[in-house]
Amino acid sequence: MKTKKQNYSHLSPKQPIGIFDSGVGGLTVAKEIKRLLPNEDLIYFGDTKHLPYGEKSKEAIIEYSTKISNFLLEQNCKAIVIACNTATANALKEVMLSVAGKVPVIDVINPVAEKVAYELHNNVGVIATKATVNSGLYKKSIRKHNKFIKVDELATPLLVPAIEEGFKNHPITHSIIYNYLSNAKLKNIETLILGCTHYPLLIDEIKQYYGNRVRVIDSPNIVANHLTIILDKYHLLNDNNPKPNYKFYLSDITKNFEKISKKFFGKTIDLELKVL
Protein backbone atom coordinates (compact mmCIF):
# COMPACT_ATOMS: atom_id res chain seq x y z
CA MET A 1 0.00 0.00 0.00
CA LYS A 2 1.62 3.26 -1.13
CA THR A 3 1.56 6.18 1.26
CA LYS A 4 3.08 9.63 1.28
CA LYS A 5 6.44 10.07 2.98
CA GLN A 6 5.85 9.72 6.70
CA ASN A 7 6.98 12.12 9.38
CA TYR A 8 7.09 10.68 12.87
CA SER A 9 8.92 13.57 14.55
CA HIS A 10 6.02 13.87 17.02
CA LEU A 11 6.84 10.43 18.45
CA SER A 12 9.38 9.65 21.18
CA PRO A 13 11.67 6.60 21.60
CA LYS A 14 10.33 6.33 25.16
CA GLN A 15 6.81 5.43 23.97
CA PRO A 16 5.79 1.74 24.01
CA ILE A 17 5.36 -0.60 21.04
CA GLY A 18 1.80 -1.89 20.54
CA ILE A 19 1.23 -5.49 19.44
CA PHE A 20 -2.04 -7.33 18.84
CA ASP A 21 -3.34 -10.75 17.88
CA SER A 22 -6.47 -12.85 18.31
CA GLY A 23 -4.85 -14.78 21.16
CA VAL A 24 -1.55 -16.33 22.23
CA GLY A 25 -0.03 -16.53 18.73
CA GLY A 26 1.20 -12.96 18.70
CA LEU A 27 3.26 -13.76 21.78
CA THR A 28 5.72 -15.51 19.45
CA VAL A 29 6.29 -12.14 17.76
CA ALA A 30 6.30 -10.23 21.07
CA LYS A 31 8.91 -12.64 22.43
CA GLU A 32 11.22 -11.97 19.47
CA ILE A 33 10.71 -8.21 19.80
CA LYS A 34 11.61 -8.48 23.49
CA ARG A 35 14.75 -10.45 22.59
CA LEU A 36 15.92 -8.11 19.82
CA LEU A 37 14.81 -4.87 21.53
CA PRO A 38 15.33 -5.49 25.26
CA ASN A 39 14.90 -1.81 26.20
CA GLU A 40 11.44 -1.37 24.71
CA ASP A 41 8.19 -1.11 26.66
CA LEU A 42 5.51 -3.35 25.10
CA ILE A 43 1.71 -3.25 25.20
CA TYR A 44 0.03 -6.42 23.95
CA PHE A 45 -3.67 -6.88 23.17
CA GLY A 46 -4.95 -10.45 22.81
CA ASP A 47 -8.50 -10.57 21.48
CA THR A 48 -9.18 -13.95 23.07
CA LYS A 49 -12.91 -13.29 23.25
CA HIS A 50 -13.19 -13.38 19.44
CA LEU A 51 -10.67 -16.06 18.48
CA PRO A 52 -10.11 -17.73 16.15
CA TYR A 53 -10.12 -14.85 13.65
CA GLY A 54 -9.64 -17.35 10.83
CA GLU A 55 -13.26 -18.44 11.05
CA LYS A 56 -14.70 -14.90 11.14
CA SER A 57 -15.98 -12.75 8.28
CA LYS A 58 -13.76 -10.09 6.73
CA GLU A 59 -16.09 -7.40 8.12
CA ALA A 60 -15.76 -8.74 11.67
CA ILE A 61 -11.97 -8.97 11.40
CA ILE A 62 -11.81 -5.36 10.19
CA GLU A 63 -13.99 -4.22 13.09
CA TYR A 64 -11.88 -6.01 15.72
CA SER A 65 -8.57 -4.91 14.20
CA THR A 66 -9.42 -1.22 13.84
CA LYS A 67 -10.85 -1.03 17.37
CA ILE A 68 -7.71 -2.60 18.84
CA SER A 69 -5.42 -0.36 16.77
CA ASN A 70 -7.24 2.74 18.01
CA PHE A 71 -6.98 1.45 21.58
CA LEU A 72 -3.20 1.02 21.16
CA LEU A 73 -2.99 4.57 19.83
CA GLU A 74 -4.84 5.75 22.94
CA GLN A 75 -2.18 3.93 24.99
CA ASN A 76 0.41 6.23 23.40
CA CYS A 77 2.13 3.52 21.33
CA LYS A 78 4.82 4.68 18.89
CA ALA A 79 4.27 1.74 16.51
CA ILE A 80 1.62 -0.93 15.97
CA VAL A 81 2.55 -4.51 15.08
CA ILE A 82 -0.32 -6.53 13.64
CA ALA A 83 0.96 -9.85 15.01
CA CYS A 84 -1.82 -11.77 13.30
CA ASN A 85 -1.74 -13.09 9.74
CA THR A 86 -5.53 -13.17 9.47
CA ALA A 87 -5.85 -9.53 10.57
CA THR A 88 -3.06 -8.56 8.17
CA ALA A 89 -4.65 -10.43 5.26
CA ASN A 90 -8.12 -8.99 5.83
CA ALA A 91 -7.72 -5.63 7.59
CA LEU A 92 -4.26 -4.13 6.92
CA LYS A 93 -5.58 -1.43 4.59
CA GLU A 94 -8.35 -0.49 7.04
CA VAL A 95 -5.97 -0.41 10.02
CA MET A 96 -3.61 1.90 8.13
CA LEU A 97 -6.50 4.18 7.18
CA SER A 98 -7.70 4.20 10.80
CA VAL A 99 -4.22 4.95 12.16
CA ALA A 100 -3.93 7.69 9.50
CA GLY A 101 -0.15 7.86 9.48
CA LYS A 102 0.16 8.71 13.18
CA VAL A 103 2.50 5.77 13.83
CA PRO A 104 4.25 3.11 11.73
CA VAL A 105 2.21 -0.06 11.18
CA ILE A 106 4.13 -3.33 10.81
CA ASP A 107 2.39 -6.45 9.53
CA VAL A 108 3.45 -10.10 9.60
CA ILE A 109 2.99 -11.06 5.95
CA ASN A 110 4.80 -8.54 3.74
CA PRO A 111 8.24 -8.68 5.48
CA VAL A 112 8.16 -12.50 5.33
CA ALA A 113 6.97 -12.57 1.70
CA GLU A 114 9.69 -10.15 0.63
CA LYS A 115 12.47 -12.09 2.38
CA VAL A 116 11.33 -15.42 0.91
CA ALA A 117 10.98 -13.88 -2.57
CA TYR A 118 14.58 -12.63 -2.63
CA GLU A 119 16.15 -15.82 -1.29
CA LEU A 120 16.61 -19.10 -3.14
CA HIS A 121 13.15 -20.61 -2.88
CA ASN A 122 11.36 -22.29 -5.79
CA ASN A 123 8.42 -24.21 -4.33
CA VAL A 124 6.94 -22.54 -1.25
CA GLY A 125 4.12 -23.86 0.89
CA VAL A 126 2.02 -21.74 3.23
CA ILE A 127 -0.15 -23.09 6.03
CA ALA A 128 -2.57 -20.61 7.55
CA THR A 129 -6.15 -19.99 8.67
CA LYS A 130 -9.03 -20.16 6.20
CA ALA A 131 -9.36 -16.36 6.13
CA THR A 132 -5.67 -15.87 5.36
CA VAL A 133 -5.63 -18.52 2.63
CA ASN A 134 -8.86 -17.17 1.10
CA SER A 135 -7.27 -13.70 0.86
CA GLY A 136 -4.41 -15.10 -1.25
CA LEU A 137 -2.15 -12.40 0.19
CA TYR A 138 0.92 -14.59 0.69
CA LYS A 139 0.91 -15.72 -2.92
CA LYS A 140 0.28 -12.17 -4.19
CA SER A 141 2.98 -10.66 -1.97
CA ILE A 142 5.64 -13.25 -2.79
CA ARG A 143 4.95 -13.21 -6.53
CA LYS A 144 4.93 -9.41 -6.57
CA HIS A 145 8.66 -9.61 -5.77
CA ASN A 146 9.44 -12.83 -7.66
CA LYS A 147 6.95 -14.11 -10.24
CA PHE A 148 8.87 -17.36 -10.76
CA ILE A 149 8.20 -18.81 -7.30
CA LYS A 150 5.50 -21.48 -7.07
CA VAL A 151 3.34 -20.88 -3.99
CA ASP A 152 0.82 -23.41 -2.62
CA GLU A 153 -1.41 -22.36 0.28
CA LEU A 154 -3.28 -24.75 2.56
CA ALA A 155 -5.89 -23.84 5.16
CA THR A 156 -5.15 -25.55 8.48
CA PRO A 157 -8.01 -24.34 10.73
CA LEU A 158 -7.72 -26.91 13.52
CA LEU A 159 -4.27 -25.77 14.64
CA VAL A 160 -5.25 -22.47 16.31
CA PRO A 161 -7.98 -23.96 18.55
CA ALA A 162 -5.63 -26.82 19.49
CA ILE A 163 -2.90 -24.34 20.46
CA GLU A 164 -5.31 -22.09 22.36
CA GLU A 165 -6.48 -25.17 24.30
CA GLY A 166 -2.90 -25.90 25.28
CA PHE A 167 -2.32 -29.01 23.17
CA LYS A 168 1.43 -28.91 22.50
CA ASN A 169 3.59 -32.04 22.13
CA HIS A 170 0.34 -33.97 22.33
CA PRO A 171 -1.09 -36.84 20.22
CA ILE A 172 -3.87 -34.48 19.08
CA THR A 173 -1.46 -31.95 17.54
CA HIS A 174 0.75 -34.73 16.13
CA SER A 175 -2.30 -36.16 14.34
CA ILE A 176 -3.49 -32.76 13.04
CA ILE A 177 -0.01 -31.83 11.81
CA TYR A 178 0.46 -35.19 10.04
CA ASN A 179 -2.93 -34.94 8.31
CA TYR A 180 -2.33 -31.39 7.10
CA LEU A 181 1.32 -31.65 6.06
CA SER A 182 0.74 -34.90 4.14
CA ASN A 183 -1.78 -33.07 1.92
CA ALA A 184 -0.97 -33.37 -1.79
CA LYS A 185 -0.84 -29.56 -2.10
CA LEU A 186 2.37 -29.53 -0.06
CA LYS A 187 3.93 -32.57 -1.73
CA ASN A 188 6.79 -30.86 -3.59
CA ILE A 189 7.55 -27.87 -1.38
CA GLU A 190 11.11 -27.08 -0.25
CA THR A 191 10.14 -24.21 2.05
CA LEU A 192 7.21 -23.88 4.45
CA ILE A 193 5.90 -20.56 5.76
CA LEU A 194 3.97 -20.78 9.01
CA GLY A 195 1.30 -18.29 7.97
CA CYS A 196 -0.17 -17.83 11.44
CA THR A 197 1.68 -16.47 14.48
CA HIS A 198 0.23 -19.30 16.58
CA TYR A 199 2.04 -21.94 14.54
CA PRO A 200 5.63 -21.27 15.76
CA LEU A 201 4.42 -22.68 19.09
CA LEU A 202 4.38 -26.02 17.23
CA ILE A 203 7.54 -25.43 15.17
CA ASP A 204 9.45 -28.31 16.76
CA GLU A 205 6.67 -30.75 15.92
CA ILE A 206 6.43 -29.41 12.37
CA LYS A 207 10.22 -29.69 11.86
CA GLN A 208 10.10 -33.20 13.28
CA TYR A 209 7.58 -34.19 10.60
CA TYR A 210 9.83 -32.93 7.80
CA GLY A 211 13.24 -33.82 9.18
CA ASN A 212 15.71 -31.86 7.02
CA ARG A 213 13.67 -32.11 3.83
CA VAL A 214 11.88 -28.75 4.13
CA ARG A 215 13.06 -25.39 5.45
CA VAL A 216 10.56 -23.94 7.94
CA ILE A 217 10.55 -20.13 7.98
CA ASP A 218 10.89 -18.35 11.35
CA SER A 219 8.39 -15.54 10.72
CA PRO A 220 8.50 -13.87 14.20
CA ASN A 221 12.24 -13.26 13.84
CA ILE A 222 11.78 -11.70 10.39
CA VAL A 223 8.99 -9.42 11.65
CA ALA A 224 10.97 -8.33 14.74
CA ASN A 225 13.98 -7.51 12.54
CA HIS A 226 11.77 -5.50 10.19
CA LEU A 227 10.32 -3.56 13.16
CA THR A 228 13.86 -2.81 14.35
CA ILE A 229 14.78 -1.40 10.92
CA ILE A 230 11.65 0.79 10.84
CA LEU A 231 12.17 2.18 14.36
CA ASP A 232 15.83 2.84 13.64
CA LYS A 233 14.95 4.62 10.39
CA TYR A 234 12.72 7.08 12.25
CA HIS A 235 15.03 7.41 15.29
CA LEU A 236 12.50 5.71 17.56
CA LEU A 237 14.65 2.98 19.12
CA ASN A 238 14.74 3.11 22.91
CA ASP A 239 18.29 2.25 23.93
CA ASN A 240 18.19 3.45 27.52
CA ASN A 241 15.51 1.62 29.49
CA PRO A 242 17.02 -1.02 31.81
CA LYS A 243 13.66 -2.02 33.31
CA PRO A 244 11.14 -2.23 30.45
CA ASN A 245 7.45 -2.54 31.21
CA TYR A 246 5.28 -5.25 29.62
CA LYS A 247 1.52 -4.72 29.75
CA PHE A 248 -1.02 -7.29 28.53
CA TYR A 249 -4.68 -6.59 27.77
CA LEU A 250 -7.05 -9.46 27.00
CA SER A 251 -10.68 -9.40 25.95
CA ASP A 252 -11.07 -12.71 27.83
CA ILE A 253 -8.45 -13.99 30.26
CA THR A 254 -7.63 -17.64 29.57
CA LYS A 255 -5.44 -20.12 31.45
CA ASN A 256 -3.40 -20.96 28.36
CA PHE A 257 -2.59 -17.28 27.72
CA GLU A 258 -1.48 -16.87 31.33
CA LYS A 259 0.72 -19.95 31.03
CA ILE A 260 2.44 -19.00 27.76
CA SER A 261 2.83 -15.29 28.58
CA LYS A 262 4.45 -16.15 31.91
CA LYS A 263 6.79 -18.57 30.16
CA PHE A 264 7.85 -15.91 27.64
CA PHE A 265 7.87 -12.82 29.87
CA GLY A 266 8.34 -14.01 33.46
CA LYS A 267 6.05 -14.53 36.43
CA THR A 268 5.44 -10.86 37.27
CA ILE A 269 3.51 -9.99 34.10
CA ASP A 270 0.45 -7.76 34.32
CA LEU A 271 -2.73 -9.14 32.70
CA GLU A 272 -5.76 -6.88 32.47
CA LEU A 273 -9.23 -7.65 31.14
CA LYS A 274 -10.27 -5.11 28.49
CA VAL A 275 -13.36 -5.52 26.31
CA LEU A 276 -13.52 -2.99 23.48
Side-chain angles (χ1 to χ4, degrees):
M1 182 178 175
K2 290 185 178 179
T3 57
K4 62 180 181 181
K5 188 175 180 181
Q6 298 296 352
N7 179 359
Y8 299 119
S9 58
H10 59 286
L11 299 174
S12 163
K14 302 295 183 189
Q15 292 171 242
I17 296 167
I19 306 164
F20 80 88
D21 179 45
S22 62
V24 301
L27 290 173
T28 60
V29 176
K31 180 188 176 188
E32 276 300 296
I33 293 171
K34 172 179 175 268
R35 185 181 69 81
L36 286 179
L37 301 172
N39 296 310
E40 298 287 353
D41 292 337
L42 305 180
I43 296 178
Y44 185 99
F45 192 101
D47 194 12
T48 40
K49 182 180 180 182
H50 296 119
L51 68 86
Y53 275 14
E55 302 299 309
K56 300 292 191 295
S57 68
K58 183 179 178 72
E59 291 74 21
I61 297 164
I62 289 169
E63 180 186 349
Y64 304 150
S65 301
T66 51
K67 275 186 179 179
I68 296 167
S69 299
N70 288 326
F71 171 74
L72 293 173
L73 278 181
E74 290 166 10
Q75 301 307 303
N76 201 32
C77 292
K78 65 183 176 187
I80 293 175
V81 180
I82 307 176
C84 175
N85 287 263
T86 304
T88 295
N90 290 273
L92 177 59
K93 180 180 176 183
E94 289 77 9
V95 166
M96 293 184 77
L97 287 171
S98 178
V99 168
K102 293 170 188 168
V103 300
V105 175
I106 290 85
D107 72 87
V108 289
I109 292 182
N110 288 297
V112 175
E114 187 170 351
K115 185 172 177 61
V116 167
Y118 288 119
E119 292 180 350
L120 293 174
H121 304 269
N122 294 315
N123 297 313
V124 175
V126 180
I127 56 172
T129 67
K130 285 180 184 176
T132 297
V133 169
N134 289 342
S135 77
L137 187 56
Y138 265 105
K139 185 178 285 189
K140 290 174 201 165
S141 299
I142 292 170
R143 290 174 65 82
K144 180 177 75 174
H145 298 288
N146 185 340
K147 64 183 179 181
F148 299 106
I149 294 180
K150 185 175 185 294
V151 181
D152 289 303
E153 298 173 288
L154 179 70
T156 51
L158 292 177
L159 285 175
V160 170
I163 292 165
E164 288 287 343
E165 289 297 324
F167 292 113
K168 186 183 175 188
N169 290 318
H170 191 281
I172 288 176
T173 50
H174 292 328
S175 177
I176 294 171
I177 287 168
Y178 177 83
N179 276 279
Y180 282 144
L181 299 186
S182 59
N183 188 289
K185 269 192 175 183
L186 304 178
K187 185 179 179 182
N188 297 314
I189 64 168
E190 58 189 18
T191 299
L192 181 70
I193 295 174
L194 307 184
C196 173
T197 52
H198 282 72
Y199 296 175
L201 291 164
L202 300 176
I203 194 166
D204 291 338
E205 293 168 74
I206 291 168
K207 284 182 174 179
Q208 189 178 352
Y209 172 86
Y210 282 119
N212 295 318
R213 291 178 291 121
V214 170
R215 179 183 174 191
V216 181
I217 299 296
D218 182 5
S219 297
N221 178 261
I222 295 169
V223 174
N225 272 296
H226 182 69
L227 169 66
T228 304
I229 291 166
I230 296 297
L231 293 180
D232 185 45
K233 177 181 178 181
Y234 294 109
H235 311 290
L236 291 173
L237 285 173
N238 191 346
D239 51 16
N240 184 23
N241 184 21
K243 290 187 177 180
N245 183 52
Y246 306 124
K247 177 80 177 177
F248 297 86
Y249 292 96
L250 300 177
S251 53
D252 181 28
I253 294 178
T254 65
K255 291 288 185 187
N256 194 43
F257 191 98
E258 287 186 86
K259 178 183 173 184
I260 294 175
S261 57
K262 282 180 180 175
K263 180 183 175 185
F264 285 177
F265 286 86
K267 293 180 180 178
T268 57
I269 60 163
D270 182 11
L271 291 180
E272 184 174 325
L273 183 65
K274 182 72 180 180
V275 181
L276 300 178

Coordinates of all heavy atoms in Angstrom, one line a residue, residues 23 33 111 201:
G23 N -5.1 -14.0 19.9 CA -4.9 -14.8 21.2 C -3.4 -14.9 21.5 O -2.7 -13.9 21.6
I33 N 10.5 -9.6 19.6 CA 10.7 -8.2 19.8 C 11.4 -7.9 21.1 O 12.4 -7.1 21.2 CB 9.4 -7.4 19.7 CG1 8.8 -7.5 18.3 CG2 9.6 -6.0 20.1 CD1 7.4 -7.0 18.2
P111 N 6.8 -8.5 5.2 CA 8.2 -8.7 5.5 C 8.7 -10.1 5.2 O 9.8 -10.3 4.7 CB 8.4 -8.3 7.0 CG 7.3 -7.5 7.3 CD 6.1 -8.0 6.5
L201 N 4.5 -21.9 17.8 CA 4.4 -22.7 19.1 C 4.5 -24.2 18.9 O 4.7 -25.0 19.8 CB 3.1 -22.3 19.8 CG 3.1 -20.9 20.4 CD1 1.7 -20.5 20.8 CD2 4.0 -20.7 21.6

